[in-house]
Amino acid sequence: MEPSFVSSQLVDLPHSATSHLRSASRNFANASMAATPPSSIFNVPELVGLVAQYLSSHDIAQCMATCRAWTPYFEPYIWQDIELDSSYPAPKALALNRHRIRSLSVASNDFANLHTLAADLGDRVSSDLWRALDYSATLTTTGKITFPNLRILQVDYESEENASDSKKRESCLDCVLRILGQSPGLLQLAPPENILSLSHHRIAFFLCTLAHKLPCIKELDIRGEKVPLDIGLLFLQVCLNHSQLVNLHCDVGLVGQREYYTAKDFEDFNDFLKSIEDDKKAREATGKPVLGSPIKSLILPKTNEGYPPIVICTLLKSYLPNLERLHVPDISEDRDESFTRSLEEAVAQGCPKLQHLRCSWYEGDGYIEEVINSIVEGCKQWGLKSFYCEDIDDRGLGILEILLENHYNTLEEVELVNCRKVQSNDLGVLLSCKNLKRVKIQQSTSDGAAIEFQHVEFRCRDLKELQLTLHRPDIDPLHDPFGSDDEEEDEEEDEDRVYERFSSWEERKAKEAYAQIGSLSKLESLSLNGDTVVNGPKGQSHNNDLTLEHGWLQKLEGLKELKHFHMAADFWSDMGQAEVEFMDTQWPKLESIEFSCQDLEDIVEKPHWRWLKERRPYLEYRQGSM
């Protein structure tokens, strides 16, 4: 029988917690029928854990301070999520409760607390590890694991270029390495920056630990620069052979012997391919299943000259069958004419789960567009779901055109950041994709990605996030695009007639475009920008587009789910009391308004914005980037 007080509260709990609470309540009911009833409901362990998981560290501390009887029940949970900085109040108590920590975040250069945590975990890292080839023999574990419950570790260390910092960095990293050796259940790791640029024996200790002492690791985020090429490739080999690693993000730069690849560098790449092939054959020889790497999300380290084509093609074709997310790597220019076809085939044959693509411009390497197009076409059998592109010049290369040609029916998320020479009609085709849920088109230059009013047409009725730059097309006053020129009229009359016809046409198209945006009934986030036009009709700009009297704000009344509204252009200058009352009435779920401005205070202190804030005290005004 379920206690009545539990039944009355079930409706207020998340669905995921309901089954746990019912089980705990039955235990409580059974205990109540025993000869000696419990003195507190917290004698039921399930109830304590259920309550604690919805409380912040501050709330748990308040529960402990309520009375002495509650302290032992809640104390284990206050040590689960720790954020360390130099002002942490109880370092000694922290060391005594290391076994309870589940998530540990260490602020930049917080050496004192790191040393406290790593105390008594053994001697300094042995200098002879680099010469040891048997990884499992180089690492020994004491009988008792110091961090049995640690699941997440993040250490923010930013190194400096001086001698004193070098010693501090080595000391910090020694502590981290010893903690890692005592954390067999770790799932997520973001080690200090430049961990792959240490002395050889420390790098070896880290790679040994990763390979043999962190069997459960699933997410690894590596940061740094100037990592020796052979060390970086050895690190990749260890990661590819790990049985549980799912997300590998490498924000590091690999450097060869010189500015350009030497024979030694190419030898390192060949040794890398041979090593991972030998590992595969060794697994086959022992009868173990050869399923490929479990990696699903991959950002490879950057290289100064790009990866040799054979390295990328081999990896994608033979070793990454579970890959779902890929940041397109930089590939060297040393390739034959058949490279693009080989890359497309490698993706099609070896990465059948690849659905999320991220790409960006590599400084000085304009050929990256060929690589993007080959991978995009390689995924056409099953279709991409998301595409992120940054700093790409699409002039004559057709990246967006090829993307839409092959993935029109599957795309759900598209983000174009600072992409130049993107055709407005291509953006119009993009917006017509039926399955889109998120679209962000961010413009930062005059030739960036912007869409003209006549190309705005949505067919994706499930869109939840939209960022657009609207473009008013330039007009030549000496040429009438809507009728024939009359040579008998003087030039001034000709110009006025063209402007009048253009204004009428543009007003109609603008009205239709804003009506299209307003039809997105599930939209939760909207960001609008307007580019600057020199030859617009009578100098008209976007400023009054979002007013009720002269603009089309009324067309956005259908956005009942809107929570965040961002004005990346100066739409607010012409707004007044009528416009904010419209927002209050028509956008009932609005939580924040963002202004891309220099001085937010000058804007929100105006009477109509103050009125809206009084009406909705929870409404947040934010200052966006210019």
Side-chain angles (χ1 to χ4, degrees), residues 89-308:
K92 292 183 178 180
L94 177 67
L96 294 174
N97 289 277
R98 292 179 298 189
H99 61 288
R100 290 171 170 166
I101 300 176
R102 293 180 61 86
S103 173
L104 175 61
S105 175
V106 183
S108 179
N109 304 349
D110 184 15
F111 303 113
N113 285 316
L114 261 182
H115 281 286
T116 300
L117 281 172
D120 70 13
L121 293 187
D123 298 330
R124 293 186 60 193
V125 179
S126 173
S127 60
D128 63 353
L129 277 172
W130 179 248
R131 295 188 293 271
L133 298 178
D134 185 356
Y135 286 167
S136 60
T138 61
L139 295 176
T140 57
T141 303
T142 57
K144 184 178 181 182
I145 300 298
T146 310
F147 294 90
N149 293 308
L150 188 61
R151 300 294 179 264
I152 302 173
L153 175 61
Q154 177 178 348
V155 184
D156 295 324
Y157 181 93
E158 298 178 2
S159 58
E160 302 173 5
E161 297 295 333
N162 56 63
S164 62
D165 179 72
S166 177
K167 292 184 178 180
K168 290 181 181 178
R169 180 164 65 107
E170 290 182 356
S171 176
C172 166
L173 291 167
D174 280 351
C175 293
V176 173
L177 292 174
R178 283 182 282 172
I179 291 173
L180 289 178
Q182 292 288 322
S183 308
L186 195 67
L187 299 177
Q188 301 177 28
L189 172 62
E193 183 179 328
N194 289 327
I195 195 169
L196 295 178
S197 301
L198 300 170
S199 56
H200 281 176
H201 66 274
R202 287 185 173 85
I203 296 173
F205 192 99
F206 173 65
L207 296 180
C208 293
T209 303
L210 178 61
H212 296 281
K213 295 300 177 181
L214 298 176
C216 303
I217 192 76
K218 292 186 177 297
E219 297 186 20
L220 183 56
D221 186 357
I222 297 289
R223 297 154 291 160
E225 57 186 14
K226 297 182 179 179
V227 176
L229 180 63
D230 55 345
I231 297 297
L233 293 176
L234 180 59
F235 166 74
L236 280 180
Q237 179 186 343
V238 171
C239 292
L240 288 170
N241 284 319
H242 201 286
S243 63
Q244 297 296 321
L245 187 61
V246 172
N247 299 330
L248 175 59
H249 297 168
C250 302
D251 186 12
V252 300
L254 306 185
V255 293
Q257 299 290 315
R258 297 180 182 177
E259 182 179 356
Y260 299 99
Y261 285 149
T262 64
K264 172 63 168 60
D265 296 327
F266 285 111
E267 184 180 339
D268 288 338
F269 280 116
N270 290 331
D271 288 345
F272 167 69
L273 291 178
K274 184 178 182 301
S275 296
I276 58 177
E277 180 63 25
D278 289 344
D279 291 337
K280 184 177 180 181
K281 290 180 179 178
R283 182 175 288 271
E284 290 175 344
T286 58
K288 296 180 180 179
V290 182
L291 303 176
S293 170
I295 292 177
K296 295 182 179 181
S297 177
L298 177 62
I299 301 178
L300 288 170
K302 297 177 183 178
T303 60
N304 54 353
E305 280 293 295
Y307 288 89

Side-chain angles (χ1 to χ4, degrees), residues 440-461:
K440 298 185 72 174
I441 304 173
Q442 179 180 326
Q443 179 197 43
S444 64
T445 60
S446 58
D447 61 348
I451 186 167
E452 298 178 7
F453 287 133
Q454 68 268 28
H455 294 140
V456 179
E457 182 179 357
F458 294 96
R459 296 181 184 176
C460 41
R461 297 308 173 190

Side-chain angles (χ1 to χ4, degrees), residues 80-96:
Q80 286 192 346
D81 301 310
I82 301 296
E83 295 183 7
L84 284 183
D85 56 32
S86 56
S87 62
Y88 195 80
K92 292 183 178 180
L94 177 67
L96 294 174

Side-chain angles (χ1 to χ4, degrees), residues 529-587:
N529 194 2
D531 61 356
T532 303
V533 178
V534 177
N535 295 324
K538 296 298 184 183
Q540 186 177 356
S541 67
H542 290 274
N543 287 16
N544 62 5
D545 277 13
L546 296 182
T547 61
L548 292 174
E549 184 176 357
H550 302 292
W552 300 277
L553 181 62
Q554 186 71 43
K555 297 299 178 182
L556 304 182
E557 63 182 353
L559 305 181
K560 305 301 183 184
E561 300 295 321
L562 191 65
K563 296 178 181 179
H564 175 66
F565 179 48
H566 175 208
M567 291 180 279
D570 185 6
F571 294 107
W572 60 82
S573 290
D574 291 341
M575 289 182 173
Q577 185 65 30
E579 283 72 27
V580 298
E581 289 183 7
F582 171 88
M583 296 179 188
D584 182 50
T585 303
Q586 302 299 333
W587 300 342

Side-chain angles (χ1 to χ4, degrees), residues 404 408 424-433 436 451 455 457:
L404 294 171
Y408 179 86
S424 175
N425 57 335
D426 286 340
L427 295 178
V429 176
L430 169 63
L431 297 181
S432 68
C433 294
L436 282 178
I451 186 167
H455 294 140
E457 182 179 357

Side-chain angles (χ1 to χ4, degrees), residues 236 269 272-273 298 300-301 303 306-320 326-332 339 342-343 346-347 351 371 375:
L236 280 180
F269 280 116
F272 167 69
L273 291 178
L298 177 62
L300 288 170
T303 60
Y307 288 89
I310 189 174
V311 173
I312 297 302
C313 289
T314 302
L315 282 178
L316 295 178
K317 186 174 183 178
S318 304
Y319 296 98
L320 296 167
L326 174 66
H327 190 134
V328 177
D330 191 7
I331 299 180
S332 68
F339 162 72
S342 299
L343 181 59
V347 173
C351 304
V371 177
I375 297 178

Side-chain angles (χ1 to χ4, degrees), residues 269-531:
F269 280 116
N270 290 331
D271 288 345
F272 167 69
L273 291 178
K274 184 178 182 301
S275 296
I276 58 177
E277 180 63 25
D278 289 344
D279 291 337
K280 184 177 180 181
K281 290 180 179 178
R283 182 175 288 271
E284 290 175 344
T286 58
K288 296 180 180 179
V290 182
L291 303 176
S293 170
I295 292 177
K296 295 182 179 181
S297 177
L298 177 62
I299 301 178
L300 288 170
K302 297 177 183 178
T303 60
N304 54 353
E305 280 293 295
Y307 288 89
I310 189 174
V311 173
I312 297 302
C313 289
T314 302
L315 282 178
L316 295 178
K317 186 174 183 178
S318 304
Y319 296 98
L320 296 167
N322 298 295
L323 192 64
E324 297 177 1
R325 298 177 180 272
L326 174 66
H327 190 134
V328 177
D330 191 7
I331 299 180
S332 68
E333 295 182 86
D334 183 18
R335 59 182 185 270
D336 55 35
E337 296 179 356
S338 63
F339 162 72
T340 54
R341 184 173 66 254
S342 299
L343 181 59
E344 180 181 340
E345 292 176 355
V347 173
Q349 297 175 18
C351 304
K353 299 180 182 181
L354 183 59
Q355 293 185 314
H356 309 276
L357 205 60
R358 187 181 183 94
C359 45
S360 57
W361 180 278
Y362 289 92
E363 186 176 356
D365 300 327
Y367 55 84
I368 188 66
E369 288 86 351
E370 299 177 14
V371 177
I372 297 172
N373 287 342
S374 296
I375 297 178
V376 166
E377 292 188 334
C379 299
K380 62 186 176 183
Q381 297 179 28
W382 53 87
L384 291 172
K385 287 187 177 181
S386 71
F387 182 78
Y388 174 96
C389 195
E390 181 178 4
D391 293 330
I392 295 294
D393 191 333
D394 200 29
R395 176 171 32 200
L397 296 166
I399 293 176
L400 190 56
E401 182 181 352
I402 292 175
L403 175 72
L404 294 171
E405 179 182 340
N406 292 284
H407 308 281
Y408 179 86
N409 293 317
T410 58
L411 281 172
E412 295 180 0
E413 298 184 10
V414 175
E415 186 168 355
L416 306 179
V417 179
N418 301 338
C419 294
R420 298 170 296 280
K421 302 298 182 182
V422 178
Q423 299 297 317
S424 175
N425 57 335
D426 286 340
L427 295 178
V429 176
L430 169 63
L431 297 181
S432 68
C433 294
K434 296 181 180 180
N435 294 314
L436 282 178
K437 294 178 175 61
R438 181 175 178 268
V439 176
K440 298 185 72 174
I441 304 173
Q442 179 180 326
Q443 179 197 43
S444 64
T445 60
S446 58
D447 61 348
I451 186 167
E452 298 178 7
F453 287 133
Q454 68 268 28
H455 294 140
V456 179
E457 182 179 357
F458 294 96
R459 296 181 184 176
C460 41
R461 297 308 173 190
D462 292 330
L463 198 65
K464 292 188 176 182
E465 184 175 356
L466 175 64
Q467 178 177 347
L468 280 183
T469 296
L470 299 171
H471 174 63
R472 294 180 182 276
D474 292 355
I475 180 172
D476 182 358
L478 300 180
H479 173 67
D480 183 355
F482 307 102
S484 60
D485 293 330
D486 189 346
E487 296 180 355
E488 297 181 358
E489 295 180 355
D490 59 39
E491 184 176 324
E492 183 177 353
E493 291 176 337
D494 224 10
E495 182 178 332
D496 288 343
R497 179 173 59 82
V498 173
Y499 274 137
E500 183 179 350
R501 292 189 182 188
F502 183 84
S503 296
S504 176
W505 173 84
E506 185 194 49
E507 182 175 351
R508 184 174 70 256
K509 292 300 179 182
K511 182 178 180 180
E512 293 173 357
Y514 281 102
Q516 283 284 321
I517 297 174
S519 68
L520 302 173
S521 59
K522 296 183 180 180
L523 200 64
E524 296 179 0
S525 177
L526 174 62
S527 176
L528 291 178
N529 194 2
D531 61 356

